[in-house]
């Protein structure tokens, strides 16, 4: 009965808007990204197209935020040079792998800057934001405020070194910079000091009632990992979340008195879905974002659940003219040979290198990642399993099936296939 009701609801929509999480343009795409987001999204987009339905598949690079700045500093170049290089590498890799985006754009485009600025300004003019002074860490040697990722220290939970100001990658716990033990600046190594600064906040506490109703009552069909994480956040009580940062790389906050401040990347990035649609369809983009007969689905990894299920919907609701996502299918993580994939440790299977080393074998990797998809739990990719699935399943089972079909078709039907319309 529940599945029937869900199918009836879906059939009411005229079109489907599919978005896939925007990868940071500070490095290549790896198999964890593919298994978690892009292969599932691409399968669904292709399925919808085969049904003859109207579908739009949006992708793009996330080119702002602290990881970009850190990469530029490490390489001794500008953030723009970093994103230009990696955006082209990522875009080329996706195309060669066969991910069928209708557009793959970027958040440094003029369209995105205009769209993100206008979105902030709309909420600002509505007096939706809360302006608040707070004490944040400041590097006295580098003479700059430190975003969360510029601060490292000891995790107060697992006590491992190298935790960031927003998250410990060792134990996965979300943190505040002030939680860290023995914090230090990753810029200069200095001990940061607390200094007063002003920022704008999205008042999620005021959205708690409708978010609870919308998610916990109206979307019980969401995947357990998505629904459970949302329920946990809502039950703990939502707090205002900053939408600006003291940085010199990003979309400038478009109001007076905001010099030296940019839009926080988690406010900026999801607007990229809108701006990329605008770039592709400048005259009809609103049909995909403001028409209630459009079904919007976000394909993401589990680390993006809160931002796509709580923060971005709160932004859209506050703006007032946009539809909300109907589903947010988030996958778990894919590990590599029993160890967590790590960009910093170069422990990954990079897509562009796979394409070079295994030319013409794009569908083999697609098959393995689909068969071993981390849909309900973290899964493990091993080269031994890759080899076994290729040899035992694709070559032996599927290959034998195709061969027998062709042989018997030639033996009994002169190699002719008659198509009969039903």
């Amino acid at each position: 009965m529940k599945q029937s009701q869900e199918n009836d609801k879906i059939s009411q929509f005229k079109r489907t808007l599919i978005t896939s999480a925007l990868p940071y343009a500070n490095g290549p795409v790896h198999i964890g990204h593919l298994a978690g987001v892009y292969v599932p999204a691409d399968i669904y987009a292709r399925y919808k197209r085969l049904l003859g339905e109207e579908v739009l598949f949006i992708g793009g690079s996330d080119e702002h935020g602290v990881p970009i700045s850190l990469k530029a500093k490490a390489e001794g170049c500008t953030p723009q040079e970093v994103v230009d290089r990696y955006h082209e590498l990522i875009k080329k890799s996706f195309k060669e792998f066969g991910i069928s985006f209708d557009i793959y754009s970027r958040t440094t485009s003029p369209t995105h800057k205009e769209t993100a600025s206008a979105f902030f300004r709309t909420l600002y003019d509505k007096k939706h934001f809360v302006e608040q002074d707070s004490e944040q860490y400041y590097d006295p040697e580098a003479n700059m405020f430190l975003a969360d990722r510029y601060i490292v220290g000891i995790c107060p939970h697992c006590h491992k070194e190298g935790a960031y100001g927003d998250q410990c990658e060792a134990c996965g716990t979300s943190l505040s910079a002030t939680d860290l033990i023995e914090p230090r600046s990753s810029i200069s190594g200095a001990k940061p000091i607390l200094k007063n600064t002003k920022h704008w906040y999205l008042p999620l506490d005021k959205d708690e009632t409708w978010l609870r109703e919308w998610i916990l009552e109206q979307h019980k069909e969401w995947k357990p990992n998505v629904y459970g994480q949302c329920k946990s956040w809502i039950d703990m009580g939502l707090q205002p979340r900053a939408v600006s940062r003291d940085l010199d790389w990003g979309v400038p906050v478009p109001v007076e008195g905001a010099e030296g401040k940019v839009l926080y990347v988690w406010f900026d990035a999801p607007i990229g879905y809108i701006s990329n649609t605008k770039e592709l369809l400048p005259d009809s983009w609103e049909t995909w974002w403001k028409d209630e007969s459009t079904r919007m689905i976000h394909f993401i990894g589990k680390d993006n659940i809160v931002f796509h299920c709580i923060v971005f919907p709160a932004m859209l609701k506050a703006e007032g003219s946009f539809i909300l996502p109907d589903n947010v299918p988030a996958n778990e993580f894919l590990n590599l040979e029993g160890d967590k994939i790590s960009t910093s440790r170069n422990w990954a299977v990079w897509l562009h290198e796979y394409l070079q080393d295994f030319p013409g074998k794009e569908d083999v990797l697609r098959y393995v990642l689909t068969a071993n998809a981390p849909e309900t739990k973290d899964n493990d990719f091993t080269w031994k399993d890759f080899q076994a699935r290729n040899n035992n399943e694709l070559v032996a089972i599927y290959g034998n099936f195709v061969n027998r079909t062709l042989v018997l078709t030639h033996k009994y039907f002169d190699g002719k296939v008659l198509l009969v319309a039903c």
Side-chain angles (χ1 to χ4, degrees), residues 236-274:
M236 287 190 298
L238 299 178
Q239 301 298 320
R241 193 172 192 93
V243 297
S244 58
R245 281 288 187 267
D246 291 292
L247 293 171
D248 57 2
W249 176 246
V251 177
V253 175
V255 296
E256 291 184 10
E259 292 74 20
K261 300 180 189 294
V262 300
L263 300 183
Y264 181 32
V265 68
W266 279 114
F267 183 89
D268 166 36
I271 297 174
Y273 301 140
I274 303 171

Side-chain angles (χ1 to χ4, degrees), residues 367-418:
Y367 173 79
V368 172
L369 295 179
T370 303
N372 194 32
E375 292 187 279
T376 59
K377 62 181 179 61
D378 290 357
N379 276 352
D380 195 36
F381 177 94
T382 68
W383 285 112
K384 184 177 181 180
D385 180 68
F386 175 88
Q387 182 182 41
R389 290 187 184 277
N390 179 77
N391 295 343
N392 301 335
E393 297 175 17
L394 291 180
V395 176
I397 298 175
Y398 181 69
N400 183 56
F401 167 73
V402 172
N403 180 66
R404 285 174 61 83
T405 301
L406 292 174
V407 169
L408 294 174
T409 301
H410 279 280
K411 182 177 180 180
Y412 294 108
F413 303 101
D414 297 324
K416 299 176 182 179
V417 178
L418 178 64

